[in-house]
Amino acid sequence: MTKKPGLSMYWASSCGGCEIALVNINEKILEVIDKFDFMFCPCLLDTKKKDIEALPDKSIEITLFNGAVRTEENAEMANLLRKKSKILIAFGSCSNDGCIPGLSNLYSAKDHFDTIYLNNPTVSNPGGIVPQRETEVPEGTLHLPEFYDTVRTLSQVVDVEYFIPGCPPESNQIWDVINSVIEGVKLPPKGSVIGAGTSTVCDECEKIKEDKKIDRFYRTYEIIPDTKKCLLEQGIICMGIATRAGCGSLCPKVNMPCSGCYGAPDGVLDQGAKMIAALGSILNLEGDLTEEEITGHTNKIMDSIPDYAGTFYKFSLAGSILKNSVRK
Amino acid sequence: MKIGVYFCKCGTNISDRIDPQKVMEEITKLKDVAYFETVDFLCAEEGKEFLEKDLKKKKPMRVVLGACSPRDHEKTFMNVLSKAAINPYLMQMVNIREHVAWVISDICKASDKASAYLKGAVARVQLHEPLKPEELNVCPDVLVIGAGPAGLKASLSLTEAGRKVVLVEKNPVIGGMPVRYEEIFPNMECGPCMLEPMLGDVLHGDNSENIELLTLSEVVEVAGYLGNFIVKIKQLPRYVNPKKCIGCRECIEPCPVSAKNEFNCSLDERKAISFAFSGGLPNFPFIDDKVCIRTKGENCRLCEDACIVDDAIIFDDKEKVIEKNVGAIIVAVGAELYDCSNLTNLGYGKLPNIYTSLEFERIIASNGPTEGEIQGFGKKGPRSIAIIHCAGSLDKNHIKYCSGTCCQSAFKFNQFISKKLPNTKIFHFFKEISVPGKETFQLYNKALNNPDSMFIRYRNINEIDVSIENGRLAIHYSFSSGKRCKSTADMIILCPPVIPSSDTAELGSILEIPADRYGFFEELHNRVDSIQSKLKGVYLTGSCQSPMDIQNAMNQGLAASGYILSGLPEGKKLEIEPIIASVDEERCSGCRVCNLVCPYKAIDFDEEKAKATTNSVLCQGCGTCVAACPAGAIKGNHFTVEELLAEIQGVLT
């Protein structure tokens, strides 16, 4: 019997949703186990880090790495799995673009510790104790991995072969990728996004799209949208226009705006910046307006968006061209 | 990749401030830079010769030029590259003169900045693609909409150059407004006499066979682009055969019905079969089917019975839709006057003897409703006539601008009235006087020196109140001091501003050309390109672009035909600049964000494929859609995202 190719999955700074998305392929997981030696997945299996360390380099065929790199431990595991894997796949939005953990880049590590351990109404910490990398106890020295000042994406830390986007990636897309490996389909060039489309969510959205001129934006609770029409045209910020296709337009289908979890489409460098450029193009500024009136009107429209980073960069702040240069 | 860099000293313009040696040391460190040449004057004949020879000898794959503004010499150097058999788009020109040498005095800083810019160019030029202009067959024929002074001038000059013109006029007569004026300012020439030779040339001149005149016609649909427009024109039935009718007028008298004559501002009536006014050309009548009793089921044939030729009257004439293929469109639809009934305080439409300037033009015209007589005041005429200038202009509640022609009309009336009615006093109520140009002031002087005229400057048109007192018109007004005063007149002439005609907006949407904030058609640039609309191949002439006098309208008509003769050469192919945007169908999701952003109407939406498309003829390469496209599906040639990023990175490293 020939040896089955190895498959591993690891979670770094993540929520566990990616693992759930994997097992959501349901009974097909049996086929995965049949074709692969599923050797490492802390969420599902009992193998340990030392088992991986003991493997020869490049002995794992595919590693699905989800989660962003927040701590020294995340980086250590990223490096280890890089070394041991032939194909390292950034799996899910956190490892692709930083996702929700990436939004913490608006604050420094110290800001976080201050908020979490010191200046928090539900915390009583009279000694002002915050996590230390090394703590002396009678038994010796305790070590904690470093909590980095910024969250990084996987490819900002190690070399990555492929990217599967989504928060989480859709199970059918995951299966398509695994199945194509099983069937021996030729792999795309290194650096490609797989398990997703190349265009945008609008391609998969069946709502009627017309010319767009927006007078104001609504938060979802402020409006009952016409369910047949494009949500963006109705003033709801739907990120679908600047988000990679692949999810099957899940959120717009149920009349919730896309929040952008599949990241930027092919050809777009920065999802948030692109979205803002697109919105700037469809604001209704027609009529006899002076320069001041245009500024005033634009500011008024923009003021109706309470959280720019959380709206435009909800999933992509760490991976954006802003990278880690913006702090609140 | 082998990149050649040339540094132009521009005499000492550049090299005084930027050290070529220092820049060379920096730039030649770059991996792909094969050589660095310093030249005294790259744009001089010797410079160009050197460049051509050097390029032929060294055969670089890409070229970077550090020199002046690309606005000065990009084309010059592109031509040199072409001569050296290198695609001209494989060059990047860096403006180290205006952007660096002329604005930085410190030689070290200037040299560093020049190096940074050149590094950006070296990084970007590697990604340049060889581009080729697209070629297109063109239709040389021209559609002219409107047969007033601008449209007539354009039609005649185009046909003189051998072009074919389709001239569309919505009225039954041509000549626009001035043929309805007895006298034309500033030299008080007879309007119809001045225009008649032109009208004659259009109807039966040397080149008239090349003018297809369609009266009672309107453009209803336009598709296509410069060089190839498909136009649909709706022509209403005239019920009179122009080939048979001899214009004898025998048919008019017997007609049993009549209605208000809008060509005389409804001051008199015309028959169901009639001429717009006497002397109107082309010289044959039309039947107004809204008035004719045949359309109400009666079998009246009185006009036909009176007709002295056979088959000149065609009762079963039908509305037609005519399709034409043209290469360019000249819009010359004119304008109209602001509705004076909006100025309720002036009594227009409610009180007697208050006329607009246009109504007065018709009253004093010998082919008008009263054959040039001011009636109703006995032999001596009215004791006094008040002319109110700026009746709605320069006023934030009405029209904000000054038309620049109404004062001239007012002073023309002054002369006319004094000649015709020597005993009549003339009051000029004005807010401002506008008499620009080398001739108009004489009109103004004549009015000033006229012992029967009086000038009164009022503060605000909205403060003027007109009422009837003792059977005469009482005009209450305020001076600038606020003091109220009263004058009495027997007749008032209101001079309202010129505004876009009521069908401007509709025609604009048919042609897809935008209007400005006042509703006039918007020019490409208000100083350097006021003849071109925002849509390539559609030209704006006459008062549909801005209020103007006949001289300007004629000039614009001529300018538009010049544009067409030079820009749409007959028999030649049109070369289209390759720096344009294109849509990658694979990436386009049909979200329609880009649909409305294009200022040149170059973006269309293919409903069937649900994809955006760009039109390479209309596209000017501005990049607005490239920035707007959230899917990254639109590529701007020569300014791709990759090229721009490489340039930025090059500058920053």
Side-chain angles (χ1 to χ4, degrees), chain B residues 151-170:
Chain B
L152 291 170
K153 191 76 179 175
S155 304
L156 287 171
S157 50
L158 284 164
T159 48
E160 203 175 339
R163 294 302 176 91
K164 287 201 167 71
V165 168
V166 179
L167 177 57
V168 170
E169 169 58 53
K170 79 173 175 184

Side-chain angles (χ1 to χ4, degrees), chain B residues 93-322:
Chain B
M93 192 169 169
V94 184
N95 183 359
I96 56 170
R97 191 178 69 183
E98 284 88 334
H99 284 180
V100 186
W102 284 357
V103 287
I104 299 177
S105 51
D106 182 306
I107 198 161
C108 271
K109 283 185 183 165
S111 303
D112 286 349
K113 188 175 172 188
S115 297
Y117 279 9
L118 285 164
K119 281 181 192 168
V122 167
R124 132 195 264 284
V125 82
Q126 300 180 42
L127 301 173
H128 281 201
E129 293 166 56
L131 301 174
K132 255 183 109 173
E134 198 182 314
E135 284 192 335
L136 189 87
N137 283 323
V138 298
C139 170
D141 300 352
V142 181
L143 170 75
V144 178
I145 312 172
L152 291 170
K153 191 76 179 175
S155 304
L156 287 171
S157 50
L158 284 164
T159 48
E160 203 175 339
R163 294 302 176 91
K164 287 201 167 71
V165 168
V166 179
L167 177 57
V168 170
E169 169 58 53
K170 79 173 175 184
N171 288 314
V173 287
I174 60 173
M177 297 311 285
V179 288
R180 301 177 205 183
Y181 300 163
E182 184 70 7
E183 289 177 341
I184 305 279
F185 61 71
N187 298 326
M188 309 301 273
E189 278 173 77
C190 157
C193 319
M194 188 173 88
L195 283 167
E196 210 127 300
M198 281 181 82
L199 304 183
D201 279 347
V202 166
L203 296 169
H204 37 70
D206 292 344
N207 304 307
S208 61
E209 76 273 15
N210 282 335
I211 300 180
E212 184 175 355
L213 173 65
L214 301 171
T215 53
L216 291 168
S217 298
E218 284 182 272
V219 172
V220 288
E221 207 180 301
V222 175
Y225 39 80
L226 170 67
N228 193 14
F229 289 102
I230 307 289
V231 185
K232 281 188 185 152
I233 301 153
K234 184 178 84 180
Q235 186 173 39
L236 298 176
R238 189 170 187 123
Y239 304 102
V240 174
N241 185 345
K243 292 198 178 88
K244 301 277 169 128
C245 174
I246 56 169
C248 69
R249 309 181 73 96
E250 289 295 326
C251 53
I252 312 294
E253 197 52 43
C255 178
V257 281
S258 51
K260 292 238 180 262
N261 184 6
E262 66 274 29
F263 301 101
N264 282 338
C265 304
S266 301
L267 296 168
D268 67 346
E269 296 206 326
R270 62 171 164 78
K271 294 292 182 66
I273 184 165
S274 68
F275 291 79
F277 43 83
S278 69
L281 292 173
N283 183 32
F284 43 87
F286 64 99
I287 293 177
D288 185 341
D289 52 19
K290 285 188 275 310
V291 183
C292 178
I293 52 172
R294 287 185 59 85
T295 52
K296 296 174 184 86
E298 292 195 36
N299 190 22
C300 170
R301 292 186 163 268
L302 291 173
C303 53
E304 193 185 39
D305 294 344
C307 184
I308 58 170
V309 294
D310 289 338
D311 309 324
I313 303 218
I314 321 162
F315 286 129
D316 57 356
D317 203 1
K318 291 271 175 330
E319 182 182 300
K320 290 191 267 292
V321 174
I322 303 159

Side-chain angles (χ1 to χ4, degrees), chain B residues 339-341 343-344 346-356 359 494:
Chain B
D339 181 0
C340 287
S341 50
L343 298 138
T344 47
L346 300 184
Y348 175 75
K350 289 179 289 190
L351 306 179
N353 298 322
I354 302 178
Y355 299 100
T356 67
E359 287 165 349
L494 302 173

Side-chain angles (χ1 to χ4, degrees), chain A residues 198-200 202-203 209-213 241-242 265-269 274 277-278 281-282 288-289, chain B residues 400 517 586-593 595-597 611 624 626-632 641 645:
Chain A
T198 54
S199 61
T200 71
C202 303
D203 230 0
K209 291 139 203 141
E210 286 174 327
D211 291 345
K212 295 171 173 52
K213 276 279 169 240
I241 56 168
D266 263 2
V268 170
L269 188 75
K274 197 73 234 195
S281 308
I282 54 176
D288 187 5
L289 297 178
Chain B
K400 288 180 189 165
R517 60 175 65 188
E586 289 290 303
R587 287 180 181 172
C588 176
S589 303
C591 71
R592 305 188 76 147
V593 165
N595 275 201
L596 299 176
V597 302
K611 307 273 179 199
T624 310
V626 182
C629 176
V641 174
L645 275 177

Side-chain angles (χ1 to χ4, degrees), chain A residues 8-14 18-19 40 62-69 73-82 85 87-96 152-155 157-158 160 162 164:
Chain A
S8 86
M9 185 172 195
Y10 184 73
W11 51 9
S13 182
S14 74
C18 285
E19 277 78 5
F40 182 58
I62 298 174
T63 292
L64 306 174
F65 191 102
N66 70 77
V69 179
E73 186 215 7
N74 299 153
E76 189 184 334
M77 289 305 292
N79 278 296
L80 175 65
L81 287 163
R82 168 68 283 179
S85 313
I87 298 171
L88 179 65
I89 298 178
F91 188 89
S93 178
C94 292
S95 60
N96 273 261
R152 285 174 295 166
T153 69
L154 184 60
S155 68
V157 178
V158 294
V160 172
Y162 300 115
I164 298 180

Side-chain angles (χ1 to χ4, degrees), chain A residues 200-209 230-231 248-249 252-253:
Chain A
T200 71
V201 173
C202 303
D203 230 0
E204 302 175 327
C205 175
E206 284 171 2
K207 297 203 185 295
I208 298 161
K209 291 139 203 141
C230 167
L231 297 173
S249 177
K253 205 174 260 174

